[in-house]
Each structure stands twice: as structure tokens, then as C-alpha cells.
Amino acid sequence: QILGGMKAVFAQADYISLNIPFINKTPDEGGTKGIIGEELLAEMKNDATILNFARGELVDSAALKAHFDAGHKGKYVTDFPEDLLWDHENAIVIPHLGASTEEAEDAAAAMAAETIMRFLTTGEIVNSVNFPTTLLEKHCTTTSVRIAIVNQNVAGSLAQILAIFGDKNLNILQQVNKSRGDVAYNVVDVELVDGIDWPEVQKALTTVPEVISSRFILGDTSLGGFGYAVNDPEHGYSV
């Protein structure tokens, strides 16, 4: 049955399920914040139930509590605990378990393992809360060395890092530089050539004043530095 608006729905429905997005503006401003408020609640049947598994902010909690306190016999079922309603006798608050099902936990564990393996084997970063997403095409581990460098996100730091490769006569095959806030992250593929003192290359890169750490991803060869190295302000260079 098609009705003429939300007031008509509230006047006739025994169960009202909220399936709308949350837009952080009031209905008068074109949003949905508190859209279930006094005006609609006044039209609701005395024993009707509201089901809210969309967003807690859709409901004006103070208005709904006042409606229940005035004698409304219905229920409010939600998985969004709210200070005014979570222990009200007319409210049924259940856990928000979208990410706690067996399937979701399996998927999250697999994603975490894949993310870590991706970082360890390629230097790429995804799904990080404090580092930028950084992607670079797969490199050939028999003809190149991949180097990941963390540095302070300040002007001139990248130029100093790249100058090291020039000073060591190393050809950069591909690279990516990303930043987030105070931190910058670089992944660089350089050509694997004979006669290069790779530990010395790593030390030179890591001791650039703005560099925090470096990691040589060794791949199929034993050449390429020591793996992980850090430039500690107190203790200096260490691997």
C-alpha cells in the first residue's frame, strides 16, 4: 500500500523499520538527523514498534523518551545504545554485532594476515590508520632491489633521499612517495648491479637527518642491505 507520507505511515503501521541514510542536518535543512521526532511520534499507534538498525542519530532520543514516559505502550528496538534510552523499559537494545559474526571474524583475520604479508613482501601499505596507502607495481626480485623508506614529511627530505641513489650510481626503475600528516613513505625499486656495497647504501639512506627508518626487501637474492634499519635520535644508526 502506498501512503501519502511518513505521518500516514506512522498512523497505520504496527512495525516501523528505519532504512534511510544518516545525513548530519536537521530535516528542515534537508538532512535526516532526528527525523523521527515529536511530530511523527505524535501520529504513531499506541502499541507500534520502531526498529532502528540504520543509524542511532535518525531518532530524536529525548522526544522518544518523553513519548514513552507519557504512556506509549510500544517498543523501540535498536543496536545503537543511547544514554537516554538504553535502560528504558520500552527500549530493547541489542549488541551491534555486524563485525562479530563468525564469517566477519574469519574475513577480518584473513584480511589482517594478507595485509601484513603484502607489507613484508612488497613494502606496500593498505588499510593503515597512521600511514598513507602506498602501492607500487610488482618488481622482479632477480633484477632489482626494493627499498622502503620512512621519513619526516618536510620539504627537501625526498630530494636528499634521491640524491643518495645518484651518488651511489644506482638506477631507479620505479618509485612512489606518499604522505600522511607528519610522516612520508617511499617505496623505490633500484636496479640490481654487481659491485655495489648495499649495506653502505642502506646506511647512507637511513642516516639522512629526516629519515626515520629503511627496509631492504631482499627477494631472491642475499644482497641488498640488512633488511630493517633505524635512525634513532639518541642511539644513531642501527640494524
Side-chain angles (χ1 to χ4, degrees), residues 202-203 206-209 211-214 228-239:
Q202 185 169 25
K203 183 176 182 180
T206 312
T207 52
V208 170
V211 169
I212 299 169
S213 67
S214 70
Y228 181 76
V230 63
N231 188 16
D232 186 272
E234 294 184 7
H235 306 291
Y237 176 73
S238 61
V239 295

Side-chain angles (χ1 to χ4, degrees), residues 108-146:
M111 182 184 72
E114 290 167 359
T115 299
I116 292 171
M117 282 300 299
R118 186 173 185 173
F119 172 72
L120 292 176
T121 58
T122 71
E124 293 184 333
I125 294 177
V126 294
N127 303 321
S128 174
V129 298
N130 54 4
F131 268 70
T133 295
T134 308
L135 306 175
L136 189 64
E137 291 183 12
K138 185 178 180 180
H139 67 127
C140 178
T141 55
T142 60
T143 60
S144 65
V145 174
R146 176 161 288 191

Side-chain angles (χ1 to χ4, degrees), residues 136-147 162 165-166 169-176 187-193 198:
L136 189 64
E137 291 183 12
K138 185 178 180 180
H139 67 127
C140 178
T141 55
T142 60
T143 60
S144 65
V145 174
R146 176 161 288 191
I147 305 170
L162 296 180
F165 294 110
N169 199 30
L170 287 169
N171 180 34
I172 295 177
L173 302 175
Q174 60 176 353
Q175 71 178 92
V176 62
V187 180
V188 184
D189 286 346
V190 297
E191 187 175 2
L192 180 58
V193 293
W198 293 102

Side-chain angles (χ1 to χ4, degrees), residues 1 28 35 41 75 80 100 133 147 153 160-161 170 181 189:
Q1 182 181 3
D28 290 340
I35 192 170
L41 294 172
K75 298 291 184 181
F80 297 99
S100 299
T133 295
I147 305 170
N153 187 23
Q160 293 185 69
I161 292 169
L170 287 169
D189 286 346

Side-chain angles (χ1 to χ4, degrees), residues 24-221:
N24 194 20
K25 297 179 181 179
T26 67
D28 290 340
E29 297 170 326
T32 59
K33 183 178 181 179
I35 192 170
I36 311 303
E38 291 183 16
E39 188 174 353
L40 288 176
L41 294 172
E43 303 294 331
M44 189 164 64
K45 295 172 67 172
N46 189 50
D47 58 352
T49 296
I50 297 176
L51 306 171
N52 181 14
F53 305 112
R55 287 290 296 271
E57 296 92 336
L58 297 173
V59 175
D60 183 337
S61 299
L64 185 57
K65 181 179 184 300
H67 196 63
F68 285 148
D69 290 345
H72 188 272
K73 303 299 183 185
K75 298 291 184 181
Y76 177 54
V77 184
T78 185
D79 58 352
F80 297 99
E82 207 283 336
D83 289 345
L84 292 177
L85 294 168
W86 72 269
D87 61 347
H88 198 284
E89 61 180 356
N90 293 68
I92 301 173
V93 180
I94 61 177
H96 188 79
L97 291 176
S100 299
T101 63
E102 183 176 347
E103 295 83 358
E105 290 185 349
D106 286 347
M111 182 184 72
E114 290 167 359
T115 299
I116 292 171
M117 282 300 299
R118 186 173 185 173
F119 172 72
L120 292 176
T121 58
T122 71
E124 293 184 333
I125 294 177
V126 294
N127 303 321
S128 174
V129 298
N130 54 4
F131 268 70
T133 295
T134 308
L135 306 175
L136 189 64
E137 291 183 12
K138 185 178 180 180
H139 67 127
C140 178
T141 55
T142 60
T143 60
S144 65
V145 174
R146 176 161 288 191
I147 305 170
I149 303 166
V150 181
N151 63 277
Q152 300 171 28
N153 187 23
V154 295
S157 57
L158 180 58
Q160 293 185 69
I161 292 169
L162 296 180
I164 299 296
F165 294 110
D167 292 342
K168 302 297 182 180
N169 199 30
L170 287 169
N171 180 34
I172 295 177
L173 302 175
Q174 60 176 353
Q175 71 178 92
V176 62
N177 168 268
K178 297 286 185 179
S179 63
R180 175 180 290 180
D182 296 333
V183 174
Y185 183 64
N186 311 270
V187 180
V188 184
D189 286 346
V190 297
E191 187 175 2
L192 180 58
V193 293
D194 295 332
I196 298 296
D197 185 345
W198 293 102
E200 177 57 33
V201 172
Q202 185 169 25
K203 183 176 182 180
L205 287 169
T206 312
T207 52
V208 170
E210 289 79 12
V211 169
I212 299 169
S213 67
S214 70
R215 186 165 67 93
F216 277 46
I217 300 172
L218 307 182
D220 298 333
T221 176

